């Protein structure tokens, strides 16, 4: 169901954003305080024949102040520095017949995804038909912070490029990305709208295990890890060694304590 889909891919708390195309260029942002409210707006826009998108992260503030290219102050909403937490990794498989860098159809895209998972050793993801293309989600059991997400997403992107997965690689590492919500329709062809729906489900994953498998796949295929990941992990390992203690309690979440 659409609400269950949002609960699977998004953190339980924070602000949520439903976007619709703005006349001319860009998006109009609808900031919502709950997943239920976000779904209501997505379905409302869709019922009006307007394309709806969901932001793939939970946000901290309704807007933050930034500057435009002219140095003028502007309000920013769906930007990476406003992301509070995330609960999934994703990618978007491109489908367009006759284009060598894209898959010919959805079936070929799914075959390409299966091959990618087999070669990388990554677990099966949730697969969503976006009407024409394929959206892919590796959902998590708990939310993670943007720094953790960015490290793993950058590695996942490098792995996908190396294994020639025909995806929108910019999407894979963009924490502020939007995709189409389940329960709405893709109206690229106004006379033949196609439903956005889950076509294959998969279990939620523990973040540490998923990150470990992504990094192991990079090493197996001799893919250079992004420099930001290597430098951060080296520093983290050194700090962990200094402060290591015997732990006799279950894993806990500093993010929940902070909230």
């Amino acid at each position: 169901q659409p609400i269950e889909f949002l609960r699977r891919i998004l953190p339980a708390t924070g602000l949520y954003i439903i976007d619709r195309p703005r006349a001319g260029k860009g998006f109009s942002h609808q900031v919502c305080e709950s997943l239920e409210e976000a779904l209501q707006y997505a379905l409302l826009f869709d019922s009006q024949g307007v394309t709806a998108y969901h932001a793939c992260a939970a946000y901290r503030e309704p807007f933050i102040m930034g500057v435009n290219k002219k140095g003028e102050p502007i309000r920013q909403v769906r930007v990476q520095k406003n992301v509070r937490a995330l609960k999934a990794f994703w990618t978007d498989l491109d489908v367009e017949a006759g284009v060598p860098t894209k898959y010919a159809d959805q079936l070929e895209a799914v075959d390409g995804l299966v091959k990618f998972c087999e070669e990388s050793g990554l677990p099966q993801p949730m697969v969503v038909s976006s009407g024409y293309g394929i959206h892919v989600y590796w959902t998590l059991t708990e939310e993670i912070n943007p720094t953790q997400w960015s490290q793993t997403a950058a590695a996942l992107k490098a792995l996908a490029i190396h294994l020639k997965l025909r995806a929108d690689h910019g999407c894979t590492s963009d924490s502020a990305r939007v995709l189409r919500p389940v329960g709405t329709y893709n109206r690229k062809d106004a006379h033949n709208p196609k439903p956005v729906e889950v076509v294959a489900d998969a279990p939620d994953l523990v973040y540490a295990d998923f990150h470990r498998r992504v990094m192991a796949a990079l090493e197996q295929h001799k893919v250079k890890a992004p420099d930001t990941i290597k430098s951060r992990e080296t520093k983290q390992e050194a700090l962990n060694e200094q402060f290591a203690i015997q732990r006799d309690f279950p894993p806990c979440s500093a993010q929940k304590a902070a909230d």
Side-chain angles (χ1 to χ4, degrees), residues 112-178:
L113 175 63
V114 170
K115 180 182 178 183
F116 170 73
C117 290
E118 290 175 346
E119 292 179 343
S120 65
L122 295 186
Q124 173 186 333
M126 177 193 292
V127 178
V128 173
S129 166
S130 67
Y132 293 91
I134 293 292
H135 294 168
V136 178
Y137 297 91
W138 287 273
T139 58
L140 303 176
T141 57
E142 299 283 347
E143 68 176 43
I144 59 175
N145 65 54
T147 301
Q148 290 174 300
W149 188 92
S150 295
Q151 292 179 22
T152 308
L156 180 62
K157 174 181 176 180
L159 183 63
I161 291 173
H162 177 77
L163 294 179
K164 295 180 171 54
L165 182 67
R166 300 175 201 171
D168 177 354
H169 298 298
C171 172
T172 309
S173 59
D174 182 3
S175 62
R177 185 56 61 113
V178 293

